[in-house]
Amino acid sequence: MRWSGQEITAEQTDALPGLARMSNLVRSVQTPEFAGVTFHEVLAKSALNKVPGTGGALPFGWTINPYRGCSHACVYCLAPDTPVLMADGDRKPLGSIAPDELVMGTREHGARRECTPSRVLASWRTIRRAYRVTLADGTALVASGDHRFLTDRGWSHVRPEAADVHGPGLEAGDALLGVAPGRAGRIGGDGAVASRADLRVIAVDDLGIELDMVDITTETGDFIANGVVSHNCFARPTHRYLELNMGADFDREIVVKINVADVLRREVSRPSWGRHPVALGTNTDPYQRAEGRYGLMPGIVRALADSGTPFSILTKGSLLRRDLDIIADAATRVPVDLAMSIAVYDDDLQRSIEPGTPSTRARLETVRAVREHGLECSVFMMPILPYLTDSRAHLDAALAAAHDAGASSVLYTALHLRPGVKEWFMLWLEREHPELVPKYRAMYEKRSYAPVEYRKWLAARMRPLIAAHGLRRGEEDPVTGGVRSAALSAMPDDSTERVRFRVADALAAAPGAPPPVSPEERLTLF
C-alpha cells in the first residue's frame, strides 16, 4: 500500500520527508532497546492490500503489512569522541562525521586486508549501555555490547550475551586488527591491516552506565576507530516511496500501523468481503523484532480467524513461537499456512548477510515448535545464492536440517536482484566475497533475474536432493509470493482464486518477463 493516499496539505515541519504530510502520523519514537531505530506510529486507513497480478487472466491477491521497513538489522555503536581515520589520513571524532564524507575502510586483497577510502552513507546517535575495551598499548575503546571489532579470529562482538545478539565475543588475549600509525598520525608502512602485540585485548569492562553513542554506515561496511578495524551496520534498501533513504532507513525508520488489527476487523466484517486468502510476510516481516514491542499480530490473527478468512504467514522471526497457541486455535476454524524463511545454513555467512535475524538454529527450532502444535510448516530456502549456497554439500545439509526439524515441504528459488537491492547487494559482495564479483556481474549486470540456464541447473540439482530427504516441494502463490493457501484446494475449479494458479504461467508471458521456466525455476526477491 502506498502512503501517498494518506497525505494532507498541511506540512508537519518536524516530520520526515514523505511522512510530513500524513494526517495519520501519531508520533515518532526512539527507545534504547532499539538503538538507532525510529518508529513512526501511524493510524492506518486500511489494512488489506490488494495485490494486482500481471493483468489479463492473472487475478489478484491480498496481503497485510503491519510494518514498513524492518528492524531485523543490527546496530553497532561507539562513543562519539572515538577518533576515526579519514581517507586523507587525518583523524576526526566519530560524532562529527557526516554522510558523504570519506573515511578509511578496508578491503581484502588476496591474502591480506588493506585500507581503502570508504564513503559514509549514514550517521546516527543513540543511548546504549557502555563497555570499555582495554588494549595492551593502553588504548581504551568505549562501545556498546553488540559492537564488533575485527580480531585475528574474525569479527567479534564486545559483549554478545548482554546485547542479545549471536556470534563470538571479545576475550582477553584476542588480538585486534589495525593499522600501524606513521608520522602525524597517518598510516605507516604499506597501509596493510594486521594484528599486533600492542592491540591485544587486556580486559572488557561493563561501565554500568548508559552513554550517548554514535554509529556510521560506510560503503565498505567498516572503518578504522582508534586505530582498529570496526564493523558498522549494513542496511538494506526499501520504501523509497516514503522518501526515506534507500540505504539506511529501511532498518532505522520503521512505519508501524498501530491500529491495523482494529481496521482489519472492520474490513473483514463487511458483507462485501469475500474471505479471500490473505498473505502476511510477503513484503516486510510481521515477526520482525519490532513486533516484540508492538504486539500487532495476535489481533490480526484473531480478526482473520473470527471472520472466517484463511491466511498464511511467511517469516524469518522466531518470535512466531509466542503466538503459536493463538494460531493453532485459528487453524481449527480457517485454513492456516505457515512458512519459515531459512536461506543460509552456514553460520558465518548467515551472520554476514542477515546480521539482525534469528540464527538458522533458532529458526529451525521454530519450525519444530510449529509442528509440535499440530500445524504444517514449509521452509523457504529463498534465495539460493549462486556460488555461495548452491553447492551440493550446502543444499544437502540444508534439506537434512529442514527434514529433521519436521518441515512439511520446501520451496526454493534463485537470487533475484531488483534495482535498488542490486546496488546494495553488490556492495556487500565486494566487501565480503570480492572474488565472486565478476561472476555476479556476468549473471546480473543486465538483468534482475538469474539466467534461465542457471535456474534449470539449480532445479536439476535440487529435485533429487529433495526426494532423497523425503521432502516435497511446496507451492508458492504466484501473485503474493507467499506460501500457497490450503484454502484453494477446497474452492471450486471455476473459482477466481483457483484460476490464478492454473494461469500462473501467464507471469512468463507478461511484458518484460523472463523466458518461460518450470515451477522449480521460479524466482524470489533478495
Side-chain angles (χ1 to χ4, degrees):
M1 170 177 128
R2 293 289 190 259
W3 293 97
S4 58
Q6 304 187 30
E7 295 179 351
I8 60 172
T9 56
E11 190 82 13
Q12 298 178 36
T13 57
D14 60 341
L16 284 173
L19 289 169
R21 293 180 299 278
M22 289 172 54
S23 60
N24 57 345
L25 177 61
V26 177
R27 62 174 183 165
S28 296
V29 191
Q30 292 182 328
T31 61
E33 63 267 31
F34 288 88
V37 178
T38 300
F39 295 103
H40 303 286
E41 299 175 355
V42 303
L43 296 175
K45 291 185 176 180
S46 62
L48 290 163
N49 309 306
K50 188 174 182 180
V51 182
T54 59
L58 194 65
F60 50 82
W62 294 90
T63 66
I64 299 172
N65 298 304
Y67 303 94
R68 288 294 187 187
C70 185
S71 54
H72 271 319
C74 294
V75 176
Y76 313 104
C77 305
L78 286 168
D81 58 351
T82 303
V84 171
L85 181 62
M86 306 301 290
D88 61 5
D90 287 336
R91 260 73 173 175
K92 189 173 182 179
L94 177 61
S96 64
I97 294 175
D100 290 329
E101 289 194 82
L102 288 177
V103 300
M104 196 65 79
T106 72
R107 65 179 177 185
E108 291 183 334
H109 185 75
R112 29 184 274 157
R113 184 180 287 266
E114 298 178 343
C115 291
T116 186
S118 182
R119 187 173 302 280
V120 176
L121 303 176
S123 174
W124 61 92
R125 290 178 176 265
T126 186
I127 297 175
R128 305 299 299 275
R129 189 175 185 89
Y131 297 82
R132 182 178 58 233
V133 180
T134 305
L135 305 183
D137 67 354
T139 297
L141 298 152
V142 177
S144 63
D146 51 3
H147 191 83
R148 283 191 283 176
F149 293 105
L150 186 58
T151 74
D152 53 2
R153 60 189 178 93
W155 290 105
S156 292
H157 295 280
V158 173
R159 275 291 177 265
E161 68 279 5
D164 193 26
V165 294
H166 301 286
L170 284 182
E171 299 175 0
D174 282 346
L176 302 190
L177 272 62
V179 295
R183 286 181 299 176
R186 288 168 169 75
I187 297 175
D190 58 1
V193 176
S195 61
R196 307 194 310 272
D198 58 351
L199 296 183
R200 182 169 47 87
V201 175
I202 298 299
V204 180
D205 299 309
D206 183 352
L207 297 183
I209 57 174
E210 293 185 342
L211 294 177
D212 179 37
M213 294 194 184
V214 177
D215 189 26
I216 58 174
T217 295
T218 69
E219 288 178 323
T220 57
D222 62 4
F223 55 98
I224 310 297
N226 225 342
V228 297
V229 183
S230 177
H231 196 287
N232 67 193
C233 174
F234 182 74
R236 298 182 302 280
T238 195
H239 57 196
R240 177 182 290 166
Y241 51 81
L242 279 177
E243 299 176 40
L244 297 174
N245 178 274
M246 281 288 288
D249 286 340
F250 181 72
D251 299 308
R252 298 193 298 111
E253 309 288 348
I254 312 297
V255 177
V256 186
K257 305 177 189 177
I258 56 176
N259 64 333
V260 64
D262 292 336
V263 173
L264 174 64
R265 186 170 291 277
R266 290 197 300 269
E267 290 179 335
V268 295
S269 297
R270 294 168 182 163
S272 58
W273 172 240
R275 295 178 177 80
H276 311 282
V278 172
L280 293 109
T282 60
N283 190 340
T284 54
D285 197 327
Y287 281 104
Q288 59 180 277
R289 288 197 310 141
E291 171 61 17
R293 169 186 171 88
Y294 285 98
L296 302 178
M297 283 298 293
I300 291 172
V301 169
R302 291 187 178 103
L304 292 170
D306 291 347
S307 68
T309 299
F311 64 91
S312 64
I313 299 173
L314 170 62
T315 181
K316 295 179 182 179
S318 54
L319 186 59
L320 173 70
R321 300 175 70 167
R322 180 198 67 189
D323 295 344
L324 284 179
D325 288 342
I326 299 171
I327 294 171
D329 175 72
T332 64
R333 292 177 283 164
V334 298
V336 173
D337 298 274
L338 302 178
M340 181 64 61
S341 177
I342 317 175
V344 182
Y345 293 76
D346 176 284
D347 290 341
D348 290 337
L349 180 60
Q350 189 266 330
R351 285 192 292 267
S352 174
I353 200 167
E354 298 178 329
T357 61
S359 67
T360 298
R361 179 179 178 181
R363 284 184 256 180
L364 288 168
E365 289 299 322
T366 302
V367 173
R368 186 170 285 110
V370 171
R371 300 292 282 136
E372 289 172 352
H373 275 73
L375 301 168
E376 301 291 305
C377 188
S378 298
V379 168
F380 272 47
M381 290 174 58
M382 298 182 177
I384 291 176
L385 307 175
Y387 306 106
L388 288 171
T389 62
D390 62 355
S391 69
R392 187 178 298 276
H394 185 277
L395 296 174
D396 188 57
L399 291 166
H403 175 270
D404 291 346
S408 312
S409 63
V410 294
L411 296 88
Y412 69 90
T413 59
L415 177 66
H416 170 202
L417 293 174
R418 64 177 184 259
V421 175
K422 182 185 297 185
E423 293 80 1
W424 283 83
F425 179 85
M426 292 303 293
L427 282 174
W428 173 85
L429 193 70
E430 288 171 3
R431 186 180 76 244
E432 301 292 337
H433 297 280
E435 75 282 1
L436 295 181
V437 170
K439 294 181 178 180
Y440 270 75
R441 283 178 178 160
M443 293 181 69
Y444 292 102
E445 190 167 32
K446 297 181 179 179
R447 62 176 69 88
S448 296
Y449 304 94
V452 172
E453 294 75 14
Y454 175 83
R455 285 178 270 144
K456 289 181 179 294
W457 171 86
L458 181 61
R461 170 161 287 189
M462 285 292 289
R463 276 194 292 265
L465 289 174
I466 291 173
H469 288 283
L471 292 164
R472 64 179 177 86
R473 179 172 171 80
E475 294 184 71
E476 183 181 1
D477 188 314
V479 177
T480 67
V483 63
R484 180 187 187 273
S485 174
L488 296 165
S489 300
M491 293 181 176
D493 286 342
D494 59 353
S495 163
T496 299
E497 296 293 324
R498 282 291 297 273
V499 168
R500 85 165 184 255
F501 290 92
R502 295 205 306 268
V503 301
D505 289 339
L507 281 168
V517 294
S518 67
E520 289 85 356
E521 300 151 14
R522 288 199 183 118
L523 309 162
T524 191
L525 302 181
F526 174 70

